[in-house]
Short mmCIF file of all heavy atoms in Angstrom, two decimals:
data_model
loop_
_atom_site.label_atom_id
_atom_site.label_comp_id
_atom_site.label_asym_id
_atom_site.label_seq_id
_atom_site.Cartn_x
_atom_site.Cartn_y
_atom_site.Cartn_z
N SER A 120 21.10 24.37 0.90
CA SER A 120 20.27 23.16 0.76
C SER A 120 19.29 23.10 1.92
O SER A 120 19.26 23.97 2.79
CB SER A 120 21.14 21.91 0.75
OG SER A 120 21.57 21.62 2.08
N HIS A 121 18.49 22.02 1.93
CA HIS A 121 17.53 21.79 3.02
C HIS A 121 18.22 21.42 4.33
O HIS A 121 17.60 21.43 5.39
CB HIS A 121 16.57 20.66 2.64
CG HIS A 121 17.26 19.34 2.45
ND1 HIS A 121 18.03 19.06 1.33
CD2 HIS A 121 17.35 18.25 3.25
CE1 HIS A 121 18.53 17.83 1.46
NE2 HIS A 121 18.14 17.32 2.60
N LYS A 122 19.51 21.05 4.31
CA LYS A 122 20.14 20.45 5.48
C LYS A 122 20.15 21.33 6.75
O LYS A 122 20.06 20.79 7.84
CB LYS A 122 21.53 19.94 5.12
CG LYS A 122 21.43 18.69 4.22
CD LYS A 122 22.73 17.93 4.13
CE LYS A 122 22.55 16.58 3.45
NZ LYS A 122 22.48 16.67 1.97
N GLN A 149 28.03 19.18 1.89
CA GLN A 149 26.71 19.82 2.10
C GLN A 149 26.30 19.75 3.58
O GLN A 149 25.88 20.75 4.17
CB GLN A 149 25.64 19.09 1.28
CG GLN A 149 25.86 19.17 -0.21
CD GLN A 149 24.97 20.21 -0.84
OE1 GLN A 149 24.61 21.19 -0.21
NE2 GLN A 149 24.66 20.02 -2.11
N GLY A 238 23.04 13.78 9.38
CA GLY A 238 22.29 14.67 8.51
C GLY A 238 21.15 14.06 7.73
O GLY A 238 20.46 14.75 6.97
N SER A 239 20.90 12.75 7.90
CA SER A 239 19.80 12.11 7.17
C SER A 239 19.41 10.83 7.89
O SER A 239 19.88 10.59 9.01
CB SER A 239 20.23 11.81 5.73
OG SER A 239 19.13 11.34 4.97
N PRO A 272 14.46 14.09 -4.65
CA PRO A 272 15.64 13.22 -4.76
C PRO A 272 15.79 12.45 -3.45
O PRO A 272 15.36 12.92 -2.39
CB PRO A 272 16.80 14.20 -4.95
CG PRO A 272 16.34 15.47 -4.33
CD PRO A 272 14.85 15.52 -4.52
N PHE A 273 16.44 11.30 -3.53
CA PHE A 273 16.52 10.44 -2.34
C PHE A 273 17.95 9.98 -2.06
O PHE A 273 18.56 9.26 -2.84
CB PHE A 273 15.62 9.21 -2.55
CG PHE A 273 15.36 8.46 -1.27
CD1 PHE A 273 14.20 8.68 -0.56
CD2 PHE A 273 16.29 7.54 -0.78
CE1 PHE A 273 13.96 8.00 0.64
CE2 PHE A 273 16.06 6.87 0.41
CZ PHE A 273 14.90 7.09 1.12
N GLY A 274 18.49 10.42 -0.90
CA GLY A 274 19.79 9.93 -0.43
C GLY A 274 19.54 8.97 0.72
O GLY A 274 19.61 7.75 0.59
N GLY A 275 19.19 9.52 1.88
CA GLY A 275 18.77 8.71 3.03
C GLY A 275 17.31 8.93 3.32
O GLY A 275 16.71 8.25 4.15
N GLY A 276 16.72 9.95 2.68
CA GLY A 276 15.28 10.17 2.77
C GLY A 276 14.83 11.44 3.46
O GLY A 276 13.64 11.66 3.61
N SER A 277 15.77 12.33 3.86
CA SER A 277 15.31 13.45 4.69
C SER A 277 14.54 14.51 3.92
O SER A 277 13.50 14.98 4.37
CB SER A 277 16.45 14.04 5.50
OG SER A 277 17.29 14.86 4.72
N ASN A 278 15.03 14.93 2.74
CA ASN A 278 14.26 15.98 2.05
C ASN A 278 13.00 15.40 1.42
O ASN A 278 11.98 16.09 1.34
CB ASN A 278 15.15 16.76 1.06
CG ASN A 278 15.22 16.16 -0.32
OD1 ASN A 278 14.45 16.52 -1.21
ND2 ASN A 278 16.13 15.21 -0.52
N PHE A 279 13.05 14.13 1.02
CA PHE A 279 11.84 13.47 0.51
C PHE A 279 10.77 13.45 1.61
O PHE A 279 9.62 13.82 1.38
CB PHE A 279 12.18 12.03 0.07
CG PHE A 279 10.97 11.21 -0.28
CD1 PHE A 279 10.34 11.36 -1.50
CD2 PHE A 279 10.44 10.30 0.64
CE1 PHE A 279 9.20 10.61 -1.81
CE2 PHE A 279 9.30 9.55 0.33
CZ PHE A 279 8.68 9.72 -0.89
N GLY A 347 25.60 13.19 -2.49
CA GLY A 347 24.60 13.10 -1.43
C GLY A 347 23.62 11.94 -1.62
O GLY A 347 22.83 11.67 -0.73
N LEU A 348 23.65 11.28 -2.77
CA LEU A 348 22.73 10.16 -3.00
C LEU A 348 23.46 8.82 -2.98
O LEU A 348 22.86 7.78 -3.23
CB LEU A 348 21.99 10.33 -4.34
CG LEU A 348 21.27 11.66 -4.58
CD1 LEU A 348 20.47 11.62 -5.87
CD2 LEU A 348 20.34 12.02 -3.42
N ALA A 392 21.71 21.48 -7.60
CA ALA A 392 22.70 20.50 -7.18
C ALA A 392 22.53 19.21 -7.99
O ALA A 392 21.41 18.88 -8.39
CB ALA A 392 22.52 20.19 -5.69
N GLU A 394 22.32 16.29 -7.02
CA GLU A 394 21.31 15.45 -6.36
C GLU A 394 19.92 15.84 -6.85
O GLU A 394 19.08 14.98 -7.16
CB GLU A 394 21.37 15.66 -4.83
CG GLU A 394 22.59 15.08 -4.13
CD GLU A 394 23.81 16.00 -4.19
OE1 GLU A 394 23.71 17.11 -4.80
OE2 GLU A 394 24.87 15.63 -3.63
N THR A 395 19.68 17.14 -6.91
CA THR A 395 18.35 17.64 -7.27
C THR A 395 17.97 17.32 -8.71
O THR A 395 16.79 17.20 -9.03
CB THR A 395 18.30 19.17 -7.03
OG1 THR A 395 18.80 19.44 -5.71
CG2 THR A 395 16.90 19.71 -7.14
N SER A 423 16.00 20.62 -3.67
CA SER A 423 16.69 20.44 -2.39
C SER A 423 17.92 21.31 -2.20
O SER A 423 18.30 21.61 -1.07
CB SER A 423 17.07 18.96 -2.22
OG SER A 423 17.82 18.51 -3.33
N GLY A 424 18.55 21.75 -3.30
CA GLY A 424 19.71 22.63 -3.11
C GLY A 424 20.23 23.17 -4.43
O GLY A 424 19.99 22.60 -5.49
C1 PLP B 30 22.16 15.67 1.10
C2 PLP B 30 21.36 16.10 -0.06
C3 PLP B 30 20.35 15.27 -0.64
C4 PLP B 30 20.07 13.88 -0.19
O1 PLP B 30 19.84 13.65 1.16
P1 PLP B 30 18.42 13.29 1.80
O2 PLP B 30 18.68 13.03 3.21
O3 PLP B 30 17.88 12.09 1.07
O4 PLP B 30 17.56 14.48 1.59
C5 PLP B 30 19.63 15.79 -1.70
N1 PLP B 30 19.87 17.01 -2.19
C6 PLP B 30 20.80 17.83 -1.66
C7 PLP B 30 21.02 19.18 -2.25
C8 PLP B 30 21.58 17.40 -0.57
O5 PLP B 30 22.52 18.21 -0.05
#
Side-chain angles (χ1 to χ4, degrees):
S120 76
H121 63 285
K122 289 195 170 79
Q149 297 259 29
S239 187
F273 194 97
S277 77
N278 88 93
F279 172 79
L348 307 186
E394 289 83 359
T395 310
S423 55

